[in-house]
Amino acid sequence: DGGITQSPKYLFRKEGQNVTLSCEQNLNHDAMYWYRQDPGQGLRLIYYSQIVNDFQKGDIAEGYSVSREKKESFPLTVTSAQKNPTAFYLCASSVGDRGSQPQHFGDGTRLSIL
Amino acid sequence: SQQGEEDPQALSIQEGENATMNCSYKTSINNLQWYRQNSGRGLVHLILIRSNEREKHSGRLRVTLDTSKKSSSLLITASRAADTASYFCATDPLTGNQFYFGTGTSLTVIP
């Protein structure tokens, strides 16, 4: 079945450490997104990519980085510059323009600080 | 913020009753989508309504859109315990590159 796979499901970060969250899709979608979800808040966009080798910052990109070397993959690195990284991270993809098509989501990675 | 806001924040009903949740937003949109999220899982797309549509149905779901009031509602009829989840609206503004999710309504359906 086609879908989006996020790994790991749970991740722990030490102070000063960079960690990378994996997101892979086999839906042949051009666009991919990373969101952060905090308790009591909606999803906030970190980064999005509409095509391979291109990506744009969302509202809360500071302290995060991404790459899009392959259509299927859009990894997110949470750097040590992100001082409050504890959150639920969701990856999504869509066929094309992010507003006119439904987004398909992975099951998330929960990141905590050790 | 252009983020939508859902109302109520939490809703608890008996199985078989109807559930209505509302979404208000601030700027003109191309379309609005509703998503569902089970606890600890990703979001699942439910329905998309375009700015030139007023109502849309999908199974037990009915969505309305009032662009003059910048609001939308999601009605779930004959609710089931399995409908227990959080529900989010998401707006695609006419201007800008962002796609905004609301803060969500947590629905509990009591068997």
Side-chain angles (χ1 to χ4, degrees):
Chain A
D1 284 341
I4 298 182
T5 302
Q6 289 189 242
S7 62
K9 191 171 179 65
Y10 299 95
L11 187 58
F12 298 91
R13 195 192 88 170
K14 295 179 181 178
E15 292 288 339
Q17 185 182 41
N18 293 353
V19 291
T20 297
L21 285 60
S22 170
C23 177
E24 303 279 332
Q25 55 102 355
N26 60 3
L27 299 167
N28 199 33
H29 286 171
D30 286 316
M32 297 187 75
Y33 316 85
W34 274 106
Y35 293 95
R36 170 180 172 139
Q37 186 176 30
D38 294 281
Q41 297 190 37
L43 279 66
R44 292 184 290 167
L45 183 65
I46 305 173
Y47 269 99
Y48 66 100
S49 167
Q50 293 181 303
I51 196 169
V52 174
N53 292 323
D54 186 50
F55 47 83
Q56 284 79 42
K57 294 181 179 181
D59 278 339
I60 57 166
E62 186 175 349
Y64 301 96
S65 66
V66 293
S67 63
R68 186 84 187 279
E69 296 176 1
K70 298 187 300 181
K71 188 174 185 178
E72 305 79 31
S73 180
F74 191 39
L76 173 74
T77 296
V78 183
T79 74
S80 57
Q82 173 50 246
K83 297 307 179 187
N84 183 23
T86 298
F88 189 49
Y89 290 87
L90 287 161
C91 179
S93 70
S94 65
V95 170
D97 178 79
R98 79 283 180 257
S100 64
Q101 299 292 334
Q103 294 191 11
H104 298 254
F105 283 81
D107 272 340
T109 292
R110 193 167 297 279
L111 176 62
S112 302
I113 295 292
L114 278 178
Chain B
S1 169
Q2 297 183 40
Q3 192 177 42
E5 291 187 3
E6 280 91 340
D7 171 59
Q9 287 189 329
L11 180 61
S12 183
I13 59 174
Q14 296 289 330
E15 201 165 32
E17 294 180 338
N18 295 342
T20 299
M21 50 207 88
N22 304 294
C23 169
S24 60
Y25 55 92
K26 296 182 180 180
T27 64
S28 296
I29 59 173
N30 291 307
N31 63 67
L32 183 146
Q33 300 183 33
W34 282 92
Y35 288 81
R36 165 197 169 123
Q37 183 181 33
N38 284 43
S39 181
R41 304 293 300 273
L43 278 69
V44 175
H45 179 261
L46 294 176
I47 200 163
L48 181 153
I49 186 165
R50 304 191 187 283
S51 59
N52 61 353
E53 298 175 309
R54 291 297 166 257
E55 189 171 310
K56 210 163 180 182
H57 297 255
S58 177
R60 293 185 296 114
L61 305 181
R62 172 178 168 251
V63 169
T64 61
L65 179 64
D66 187 335
T67 53
S68 66
K69 295 181 179 178
K70 292 187 171 57
S71 69
S72 174
S73 67
L74 171 67
L75 168 67
I76 304 174
T77 60
S79 63
R80 305 165 181 168
D83 294 328
T84 295
S86 292
Y87 293 82
F88 295 88
C89 66
T91 55
D92 175 24
L94 282 178
T95 58
N97 296 321
Q98 296 266 15
F99 185 60
Y100 291 95
F101 283 85
T103 51
T105 292
S106 176
L107 172 65
T108 302
V109 181
I110 303 165

